[in-house]
Amino acid sequence: MLHLGLVHYVYLGLIVCIIGIMFSKKDVILPCILGILIIGFIYSGSIVSSVQIVYTAIVVSGREFIEIVIIIALVNAMSKAINSLGADEIMIKPISKLMINEKIAFFVLGFTMLGFSWFLWPSPAIAFIGPLMVPAAIKSGLEPIWAAVSLDLFGNGIALSSDYFIQGAPSITAKAAGIKNPFEIVKAEFLMWMVISIVVLVTSSIIMSRSNKGRGKNNNINEVTTTYKHSFSSRFIAIFTYVFFAVDIVIMYVYKLKGSEATSLIGGTAIVIMLLCVLIKCGIKNSLGQITVLIREGFMFSIKIFSPIIIIGAFFFLGSKETAQEILGSGTNGILTDVGMYVSQNIPMNKFSVVIIQALISGLLGVGGSGFSGLPLVGTLAQVFSSAVNVNRAGMAALGQIITIWVGGGTIIPWSVIPAAAICNVEPFDVVKKNILPVSLGLVATVIIAMSIL
């Protein structure tokens, strides 16, 4: 019979404190570092060893996340290089012509955001397509607030919660859940992702139609766009980029590339496109310095996003067996793993109860406003619950990922919708008000589906 010790109770107490701090919209870096220090001291009994454990935990966490840090950096550098040639305007222009009325504009803008977010991530994608497509959407009759909702739901919701191509979110979740291949998360989440996406979009479309009924076209937006002279070079890069990524998708399908193999293909493509853009614009001599600038800016963008996640992950990786053994030593099974086994031995648990617990904790983590910060914990909990109850580990992790990102990634937390709101010149709180009902209904539907399939 497994028994819990002081280290287990203290770790659980620290998790409760960290979730509470997230819920109060405060940063949790300091509590996580102090938490590692405390757990290290309890486990080792040595101040020196506990200090070493803090560093080791961060190194282990950084090693787990380094691949996604690099891919985001390279993709961001590529998008800046494309923008410098004006090729982004050429890439968007044919799509914007499809906007003939408000409802079509809502979905054209949204699906464009979805496509670019899958390959660029939502934040760069908003900056990439927003100034070019939002004015066209407004001209077609779409209200600015609904343009912001479209960008937000499709980018920070549908695209980020799936992350099929860059696979940043699945990689983080899989690492914490003890799953080697992130594609297992991708497969497990597909039905739940489809359910929440359809429910949210259908509900939003109905609300938009009712709220805009009888209104005419609204052009109340500052149409400030950058106009480029479309040279042969910019047209070539625009076409080349589309073709290159289309070929990547075909290669992934034909050769069944998954996880790090798919990510490396996208990353390599981003590098090639970036180099080509810089060489065309600057020539061989001047490109030497310009490439350095783009790479530096790309990594600054990426590390700005992931530096807190690395620290947070370092704390929660203490709960997972594989990473805990790297941090604390081979004598541990992972603190949360022990807790899960203890609970399973002493408290009746079933599929429905663990799904509800996973959903509630994931939602609370998302309230902190950063969907990715909660992924290490939801992945670890999935590993714990799958050990205690006969549920699919990848499915539990995927459920947590979807809920955490939809809540905290930028759909119903005001400070997370600021980029989309700013592009459309509307208030973030107004965007959240439009999102809250559709997203809530989608989350409920997802939990119901999870209970039936996990």
Side-chain angles (χ1 to χ4, degrees):
M1 176 69 70
L2 179 67
H3 295 282
L4 300 184
L6 177 63
V7 69
H8 299 94
Y9 291 112
V10 171
Y11 189 71
L12 290 174
L14 289 168
I15 289 177
V16 172
C17 291
I18 290 170
I19 291 176
I21 294 170
M22 284 183 172
F23 192 76
S24 63
K25 309 176 183 66
K26 303 295 184 181
D27 290 332
V28 296
I29 300 300
L30 178 59
C32 285
I33 293 175
L34 292 176
I36 300 170
L37 193 65
I38 292 169
I39 295 299
F41 179 74
I42 294 173
Y43 189 84
S44 66
S46 166
I47 294 178
V48 173
S49 295
S50 64
V51 172
Q52 292 175 313
I53 286 171
V54 172
Y55 175 77
T56 303
I58 295 173
V59 170
V60 170
S61 180
R63 188 168 64 243
E64 296 292 330
F65 293 143
I66 187 63
E67 183 177 0
I68 186 58
V69 171
I70 293 173
I71 184 65
I72 294 299
L74 296 177
V75 166
N76 182 263
M78 178 198 70
S79 67
K80 291 180 181 295
I82 292 174
N83 177 266
S84 69
L85 281 175
D88 54 342
E89 185 176 3
I90 299 173
M91 296 170 68
I92 296 299
K93 191 172 182 179
I95 303 173
S96 62
K97 291 181 179 179
L98 300 174
M99 300 178 182
I100 58 177
N101 59 51
E102 63 175 8
K103 185 164 288 189
I104 292 178
F106 179 86
F107 285 101
V108 169
L109 180 63
F111 279 108
T112 304
M113 180 66 184
L114 174 64
F116 278 89
S117 295
W118 268 337
F119 288 97
L120 301 180
W121 250 35
S123 296
I126 286 179
F128 192 81
I129 73 170
L132 302 172
M133 288 194 67
V134 168
I138 301 302
K139 281 186 177 182
S140 71
L142 186 66
E143 291 289 310
I145 185 65
W146 287 106
V149 168
S150 177
L151 291 172
D152 192 56
L153 293 181
F154 279 91
N156 293 329
I158 298 174
L160 194 58
S161 65
S162 56
D163 201 4
Y164 287 144
F165 296 97
I166 294 178
Q167 296 187 7
S171 295
I172 295 173
T173 309
K175 292 288 186 183
I179 299 171
K180 293 183 179 180
N181 189 352
F183 193 71
E184 295 298 318
I185 303 292
V186 173
K187 289 192 298 183
E189 76 170 345
F190 183 75
L191 181 57
M192 292 182 283
W193 172 77
M194 284 292 294
V195 167
I196 191 171
S197 300
I198 292 171
V199 171
V200 169
L201 292 182
V202 170
T203 307
S204 296
S205 180
I206 293 171
I207 295 173
M208 180 183 69
S209 297
R210 290 181 176 179
S211 64
N212 290 348
K213 191 174 182 180
R215 292 186 180 182
K217 292 185 177 182
N218 189 317
N219 297 322
N220 294 327
I221 186 169
N222 296 327
E223 188 176 342
V224 180
T225 59
T226 305
T227 302
Y228 296 95
K229 292 182 180 179
H230 295 153
S231 63
F232 171 79
S233 298
S234 58
R235 293 180 186 277
F236 170 75
I237 288 297
I239 296 172
F240 182 82
T241 302
Y242 273 133
V243 171
F244 215 152
F245 278 114
V247 171
D248 281 354
I249 295 173
V250 173
I251 292 174
M252 289 181 203
Y253 177 77
V254 172
Y255 293 98
K256 302 186 185 302
L257 300 184
K258 303 169 185 176
S260 60
E261 292 179 333
T263 301
S264 63
L265 184 62
I266 297 296
T269 300
I271 294 173
V272 171
I273 293 173
M274 177 194 68
L275 292 177
L276 191 58
C277 289
V278 174
L279 287 171
I280 289 174
K281 183 180 180 181
C282 304
I284 295 177
K285 182 179 179 180
N286 295 329
S287 65
L288 298 176
Q290 184 60 28
I291 289 175
T292 303
V293 170
L294 289 172
I295 292 292
R296 182 184 295 118
E297 291 178 352
F299 271 91
M300 288 174 64
F301 172 82
S302 184
I303 202 65
K304 183 178 179 181
I305 294 173
F306 279 94
S307 53
I309 296 173
I310 290 172
I311 305 298
I312 294 168
F315 174 79
F316 287 114
F317 281 149
L318 293 173
S320 181
K321 179 178 180 179
E322 289 79 7
T323 46
Q325 289 181 343
E326 292 187 67
I327 298 168
L328 299 175
S330 58
T332 180
N333 289 322
I335 301 173
L336 280 181
T337 302
D338 286 343
V339 172
M341 294 301 296
Y342 177 83
V343 170
S344 66
Q345 293 172 359
N346 295 273
I347 300 175
M349 298 184 71
N350 55 54
K351 177 176 69 174
F352 303 105
S353 63
V354 297
V355 166
I356 292 174
I357 293 170
Q358 178 81 327
L360 289 175
I361 293 177
S362 300
L364 286 173
L365 292 171
V367 171
S370 175
F372 273 55
S373 297
L375 295 183
L377 177 54
V378 300
T380 303
L381 288 176
Q383 186 177 28
V384 172
F385 289 145
S386 66
S387 301
V389 181
N390 185 26
V391 293
N392 182 279
R393 181 188 300 185
M396 285 294 292
L399 172 66
Q401 173 181 301
I402 289 173
I403 294 176
T404 303
I405 289 180
W406 270 93
V407 174
T411 61
I412 57 176
I413 303 299
W415 54 92
S416 297
V417 306
I418 289 175
I423 286 289
C424 300
N425 196 24
V426 296
E427 291 295 325
F429 281 95
D430 292 335
V431 179
V432 170
K433 288 177 183 177
K434 299 294 185 183
N435 287 347
I436 190 74
L437 178 59
V439 173
S440 298
L441 292 176
L443 292 173
V444 171
T446 304
V447 172
I448 293 173
I449 289 296
M451 288 181 176
S452 64
I453 65 174
L454 295 182

